[in-house]
Amino acid sequence: MPTWTLHRGDALTVLHTLPTGSVDATITDPPYNSGGLTPAQRTSDTTRGKYVSGDAQHQLPDFDGDSRDQRGYLAWMTLVLGQCHRITRGGGPLLAFTDWRQLPVTSDALQAAGWTWRGIVPWHKPVSRPAKGGFKRACEYVMWASKGAVDAARNPVYLPGLYSASQPRGKKRRHITQKPDELMDELVRVCAPEGTVLDPFAGSGSTGTAALRTGRAFVGIELSEQYAAVARERLAAA
């Protein structure tokens, strides 16, 4: 049976304690530090205000770590992804979610951290915010990278370059920025079978539950005490 471990604490602090080369893939959804075009908007609005529609029927808690400016975000993400690079085995993949605002700086951070950038996987969201006078916010992105050459011999999969799935709604929504289970079940296939997936921003545990459902082990880190409790509940159920 696949095993799981969830650490409660700051990602960068906990990552330093994890063994080198101990996981097969890093798959994560970091705080975007987005949703505001000016420093004032970044620091004055809540995560709910940035990422949740006004008609949402839930009262999920905010989370910390989402008010950095671009220079701070670049430095911080480079340090975090550098530790993930150390912890991931050679040839292992990195998948990191981002949005249109943060895509350029996230690609800079992963390369500065030592990863080889391999591409961008668009995630289409059928249920998404409209934009008056323009286009819907109907897409986010997954940055794909690897630690050196892709080790296709360990995991000879052929994965799509585009996914479509809506975020969970109603009682299934456990986190403000929760990703769809069906999307995560597909993305974890980039990790070698029976391998271990690392997520330094575990949130409500979507990456971990997908790993467990597909026969992979999981190591996660979550700063929020409330969301760590949700993640433990979901991981135990998976």
Side-chain angles (χ1 to χ4, degrees), residues 55-201:
D55 59 353
Q57 300 299 309
H58 61 72
Q59 295 296 326
L60 295 169
D62 288 314
F63 55 86
D64 293 329
D66 200 71
S67 59
R68 296 175 178 87
D69 63 16
Q70 289 296 80
R71 290 183 299 171
Y73 180 77
L74 174 60
W76 174 70
M77 278 300 292
T78 300
L79 292 172
V80 168
L81 295 180
Q83 284 299 308
C84 294
H85 184 273
R86 175 186 65 80
I87 297 162
T88 303
R89 294 186 177 95
L94 163 72
L95 299 182
F97 281 90
T98 189
D99 70 356
W100 65 273
R101 293 183 184 93
Q102 300 298 74
L103 194 153
V105 71
T106 304
S107 70
D108 290 343
L110 68 85
Q111 292 175 91
W115 296 92
T116 301
W117 186 17
R118 297 290 175 185
I120 300 169
V121 181
W123 163 39
H124 167 242
K125 302 184 292 182
V127 179
S128 51
R129 291 187 187 188
K132 188 176 182 179
F135 302 95
K136 285 184 71 176
R137 303 288 192 238
C139 197
E140 293 182 28
Y141 308 93
V142 183
M143 308 296 296
W144 171 38
S146 65
K147 185 173 179 177
V150 174
D151 190 358
R154 292 193 64 221
N155 191 28
V157 292
Y158 291 86
L159 300 174
L162 170 68
Y163 294 93
S164 182
S166 293
Q167 289 178 288
R169 300 169 70 83
K171 292 183 178 179
K172 292 183 178 180
R173 185 73 167 262
R174 307 295 299 277
H175 191 282
I176 286 177
T177 61
Q178 185 174 337
K179 301 303 183 280
D181 286 346
E182 59 269 35
L183 172 64
M184 300 312 301
D185 285 348
E186 286 293 310
L187 293 181
V188 296
R189 294 175 59 205
V190 77
C191 176
E194 300 182 0
T196 299
V197 177
L198 169 68
D199 185 353
F201 305 103

